[in-house]
Structure formats: structure tokens, C-alpha cells
Amino acid sequence: MTLHFPDTPAFTGFNRPARIEAEILDLEVEGKIPSDLDGTFYRVGPDFHYPPRLGDDININGDGMVSMFRVAGGHVDFKSRYVRTEKFLLESAARRALFGAYHNPFTDDASVAGKDRTTANTSTVFHGGKLFALKEDGLPHELDPDTLETRGRYDYRGKMTSVTTSSHPKIDPVSGEMITFGYEARGLATRDVALQIVDRSGVLVREEFFLAPYVSMQHDFAVTSRHIIFIVVPITADEARMKAGGPHWVFEHERETLIGIMPRDASTKDIRWFRSPSLGLGHVANAFSDGDKVYLDVSTCAQNIYPFIGNSDGTPFDRATGVPRLMRFTFDLGGNSDGFEAETLFDDFMDMPEIDDRYQLNAYSRGFFAIADGGKAALNNVGTLGVGWNTIAHVDLARRRMERFFIGPDAACQEPQFVPRRADAEEGDGYLLSVVTRLDREPHTELAVFDTRHIPDGPVAVARLPFRMRAAIHGCWVPGPGA
Ligand SMILES: [Fe+2]
């Protein structure tokens, strides 16, 4: 059988599969990589290994391709490897796709019934001395941090009984604990959610199950120094629909959005649910507690944020109500209301938040975002939201100010990664890394390095790959010995 990818949006242009497992010592560099920038930038994203079993697919159903930029002494080295998930290995042996639609096992080849469907393609985290690739429909996959070889699926020595864990764990900068959760935690379309806490040495010390108000795509959540915040948005799953060949997810605008808050030292039985008419939520920038108040900063839109998820009433996706803006939700735990206040902090189309990790879970004032500036050239048909990020932003939340840099036409940038200049640097003072793909001239992908004091001046250095990578989603920075 001839291998050929379809000529559809998920497989053409910016989204065309790259499928390159590379190892490059010393990337070509324009400008000067700061000599005090020392560490490794790990990322993972979907890159289809085989053409889709059902003729077409959505962008984010590709196999996890993990990549690393190792920066030290002014040099940048690069590696990329597919995550050897069970799905990847079975399909490689068969030399074709065996797994079908996103998160719908009823569309798979009968030979892979009951096998692990996760692509491990959404995020990386380094915790307890281990590097993991994550996707919310499965368990973590441990990777060798030097070679990127897959060590295997990881269940915390049998202690994690949930079948899922989130792509968005939070690490407490004080205790070193990793607080995370899994939804559909007891299997497909189950309401079960598992709160999971891993101590700083990497031991799962708590797994506690509860029932969500309804089965929802709980893509992100939040933690403060004192509270855990679960987010239930009206993107819902239904097993009967999946069995009929339909999608896992549908947006039901008539349902409420619910935000559940519990003290970290209490039981999930103590979750208090706050309510709102339906909202579409992107990613959490940060959250913090102050007295009886809990603050949650999250990119938010009025309705469905994801073009690849259909509306339950059959109406087409509406970008106008699907523009994510940074909002601050305020919850009063001292009052009796089950409502909350919502304030728009910035009006731009923005998501992919990044903050100074030393301020995670606590009051903070600096953030970094990817912006889709509608007033400037942008690529269409890019990534999860279908819109290319064309601007990198540094925001001062205390002053509500923003500095920004347009990365140029025919290009799209990805989630920024902040690295402090020194351990004792002021909040937000350091470097910002973003991977940029350029489709002009020779299409290629590059690592852009900004100094956060001078974002509008553009990158101080760019390290070029001699090829184009398919876009990743999330990543992490691991400091090196010289940091
Ligand atoms: Fe995400």
C-alpha cells in the first residue's frame, strides 16, 4: 500500500506531517545565545506517523513527537524522537494506522481492541528526577532526558490506579510537590476524576477519586498555595454517541460551566462548586489565594474555543465567540454565593500562558503569552485553535501593560518558555524562548531567544533547524549544571 497523507487541513501547509527524528550537534545561530542560558527546552506535539485510518483526522490526533533544544555555552544542540507508545509500536509493526478517531476506540481496527490509545503528544514535565510526555487520555510516558528514548508507560510503581492524568500538572515551588489529576479516570466517558499528588521525590502520596458534575473535557486546572481548583466546561462526552461513530467531544452551550474549589489539606468531599452560564476556557496562567478570596487567571471566551469540536445544536463553530482573552475570576469563599466575578484583563486574542515558575500558585505580576494579532499578517489553519500565533507578549499584570513583538508574516510562534536570568533575578527578568516556524523562503523551524527586558526589540538570537517541524503544543525547561 502506498503511503500518502490526505490533502486536508490537518495534513497540509503548516500542519503537514514532518516525521523527522533528528540529532544535530550545534544548530546554526544568528545573533548571540546568552552565555548564562543553560538548560534544556523539552516539548512535545502531534506529528502523524501514518495517514489516518478514517481518511482524515483532526490536528491534535497525531503521534507524540518530543524534541529538545539543549542550550549551554552559547551552543544549541537538538534532538527529536517519537514517543514509543503502544499505539506507535503497533502501527509501526503494521506499517499503517490501526487506531481511528480522536478519543473514540469504537473506530479502531479490531486487532487493537483494548490497547493503549494515547499518543502522549500534549506536554512534557520534569519532576522527581524523571522526564515525562503527557496526554490527558492516558498515563505518563517516561523518557530518557538525554536520548529521548521512551522508557515506558509510568504508573508510579503501581500506585496510580486512575487510567488518566492531566497534561497540566502544577508544581509547588515551595514544597516541590506535583499536584495533578485525571478525568475519565475509571475509563471512557466515566464521571470519575482522580486528584493525584506526587511528593518532591516522585512518590505518588495521594490519589482520591470524586465524581464530576458531568463528564467534561477538563483540560487544565489550577492550584494555589492553599486551594485546588477544578474546571468543568460544557465540552461533554457520551459513550452512545461514540459507539455510533460520532465524536468523543461536543460543546453543549446550554450547560453550566462549574469551577470546583477545595482546600489542599481537605477531602474532595469538600469541593465547593461555583457556577456560570457556559464559557469556553483555554489555559490557566496562574491562581492564588488571599484571605477568603481565590483568584484564577485563565484565557476565556464566551462559547466553544475549539474549532475541531462541534456544537451540540449543530451550529457551526463561531470564531467571534471563540476568541480567548485573559480573564481574572474572583471567588469569595467567605460568602454564600455560588457565582463569581469575572474581569477581562487584556482584550487581545491570547493563550498559551507562561509565568515565572518561582511564582506558581502564588500572587504574581508577570506573564508571557502567544497572541494572534488580527491587525497583522497571520497564518490560518495552524495548530489546535486553527489560528497562527503571530506575536509574543510580556504582560505586567499589576500595571495592566503589555510589551509585544510581531514575529513577521508567513510565520507562527508557539508557547513561550521563561527562564530566569539568575536564581535571585526579579520576577520575569530573564529569557523567553519560543519555537517559530517560517513558511517563507526555505520553510524551517527555529528557536527564538528573547531578553525579557527588551521583548519589542525582537530575539537576541535565533537557532535554526535545517528543516520544518510540525508544531508542538506544550513543554518545559530543565536547568542545566551551569544555570
Ligand atoms: Fe494544554
Side-chain angles (χ1 to χ4, degrees):
M1 193 179 0
T2 307
L3 189 150
H4 181 73
F5 288 96
D7 297 323
T8 59
F11 296 91
T12 51
F14 191 89
N15 294 331
R16 191 158 54 83
R19 307 163 79 217
I20 298 171
E21 296 191 304
E23 181 164 350
I24 303 173
L25 190 72
D26 268 315
L27 295 182
E28 185 183 6
V29 172
E30 296 168 25
K32 189 170 184 297
I33 301 288
S35 58
D36 53 356
L37 184 60
D38 189 308
T40 308
F41 187 18
Y42 296 99
R43 303 158 67 251
V44 68
D47 195 352
F48 290 89
H49 191 214
Y50 280 100
R53 170 175 154 76
L54 304 176
D56 196 6
D57 211 335
I58 60 173
N59 176 61
I60 58 167
N61 204 25
D63 299 280
M65 175 68 86
V66 62
S67 57
M68 60 189 272
F69 294 87
R70 178 155 282 171
V71 186
H75 297 272
V76 183
D77 302 330
F78 178 83
K79 280 182 192 151
S80 59
R81 293 284 184 279
Y82 272 116
V83 185
R84 264 56 180 180
T85 60
E86 189 168 29
K87 172 185 184 294
F88 181 91
L89 295 173
L90 288 165
E91 293 186 336
S92 297
R95 290 181 177 268
R96 65 186 175 94
L98 300 170
F99 294 80
Y102 184 67
H103 221 351
N104 184 346
F106 304 108
T107 59
D108 294 347
D109 187 283
S111 67
V112 296
K115 301 297 186 185
D116 189 353
R117 305 184 84 255
T118 193
T119 53
N121 73 5
T122 311
S123 187
T124 60
V125 66
F126 190 84
H127 185 257
K130 294 182 188 299
L131 177 68
F132 298 105
L134 303 170
K135 186 176 182 71
E136 62 201 38
D137 67 350
L139 290 174
H141 280 67
E142 188 189 353
L143 308 172
D144 183 306
D146 293 319
T147 66
L148 297 183
E149 283 166 20
T150 303
R151 290 177 175 165
R153 194 168 49 203
Y154 194 73
D155 64 1
Y156 291 87
R157 300 179 187 273
K159 287 186 169 181
M160 187 173 277
T161 64
S162 167
V163 297
T164 62
T165 193
S166 173
S167 300
H168 288 289
K170 311 300 177 196
I171 296 175
D172 187 322
V174 177
S175 69
E177 287 171 292
M178 182 168 77
I179 302 101
T180 188
F181 74 104
Y183 72 83
E184 298 190 35
R186 295 197 197 272
L188 196 70
T190 55
R191 273 174 64 202
D192 304 87
V193 178
L195 169 63
Q196 301 152 338
I197 298 178
V198 182
D199 73 13
R200 67 182 310 141
S201 68
V203 176
L204 183 76
V205 292
R206 182 175 174 191
E207 184 181 48
E208 186 180 336
F209 286 81
F210 66 95
L211 288 178
Y214 56 84
V215 188
S216 157
M217 182 203 260
Q218 292 178 242
H219 179 66
D220 203 348
F221 84 134
V223 181
T224 77
S225 58
R226 291 192 284 123
H227 297 98
I228 297 170
I229 305 167
F230 295 100
I231 298 170
V232 174
V233 295
I235 299 173
T236 64
D238 176 65
E239 188 164 352
R241 183 173 66 226
M242 284 182 246
K243 282 182 175 168
H248 188 100
W249 298 121
V250 162
F251 186 85
E252 294 188 57
H253 66 84
E254 63 276 22
R255 283 192 188 261
E256 289 181 312
T257 290
L258 294 110
I259 311 283
I261 303 182
M262 60 175 276
R264 280 172 62 170
D265 58 4
S267 157
T268 56
K269 294 185 180 68
D270 298 315
I271 295 174
R272 177 171 165 187
W273 291 100
F274 294 82
R275 298 164 188 281
S276 155
S278 70
L279 295 169
L281 297 184
H283 288 102
V284 168
N286 199 12
F288 55 96
S289 303
D290 184 9
D292 286 337
K293 299 282 179 64
V294 174
Y295 300 90
L296 171 64
D297 292 353
V298 57
S299 71
T300 306
C301 55
Q303 295 291 326
N304 184 12
I305 189 173
Y306 298 114
F308 64 88
I309 292 177
N311 293 326
S312 61
D313 61 6
T315 55
F317 174 75
D318 178 13
R319 179 87 278 166
T321 58
V323 171
R325 296 182 171 88
L326 184 64
M327 297 193 76
R328 174 163 292 178
F329 297 165
T330 303
F331 304 88
D332 183 1
L333 300 182
N336 297 318
S337 169
D338 65 356
F340 55 91
E341 291 176 24
E343 177 193 7
T344 302
L345 300 181
F346 292 95
D347 259 332
D348 295 272
F349 184 146
M350 60 201 285
D351 192 31
M352 309 310 272
E354 164 72 354
I355 69 161
D356 185 328
D357 281 340
R358 298 169 299 171
Y359 291 78
Q360 289 280 0
L361 287 52
N362 290 285
Y364 73 117
S365 63
R366 299 294 176 136
F368 305 93
F369 292 82
I371 286 183
D373 184 341
K376 292 196 161 61
L379 296 174
N380 291 314
N381 182 30
V382 172
T384 313
L385 298 187
V387 174
W389 305 114
N390 61 8
T391 298
I392 288 285
H394 177 188
V395 304
D396 178 338
L397 289 152
R399 296 181 180 81
R400 302 285 162 87
R401 283 193 198 146
M402 177 186 291
E403 292 185 337
R404 53 207 283 160
F405 178 73
F406 171 59
I407 57 152
D410 297 321
C413 57
Q414 299 176 39
E415 179 182 68
Q417 172 68 51
F418 173 73
V419 182
R421 198 178 305 272
R422 291 184 308 275
D424 61 350
E426 284 183 18
E427 182 185 358
D429 181 33
Y431 303 107
L432 198 66
L433 314 181
S434 179
V435 172
V436 177
T437 292
R438 299 193 180 279
L439 298 186
D440 54 344
R441 297 170 304 180
E442 305 162 53
H444 72 278
T445 297
E446 61 196 27
L447 176 69
V449 180
F450 297 82
D451 186 317
T452 62
R453 293 179 185 173
H454 307 290
I455 294 285
D457 295 342
V460 295
V462 169
R464 292 184 70 170
L465 289 171
F467 55 85
R468 178 194 59 89
M469 286 186 73
R470 203 168 189 272
I473 302 179
H474 300 296
C476 64
W477 173 262
V478 179

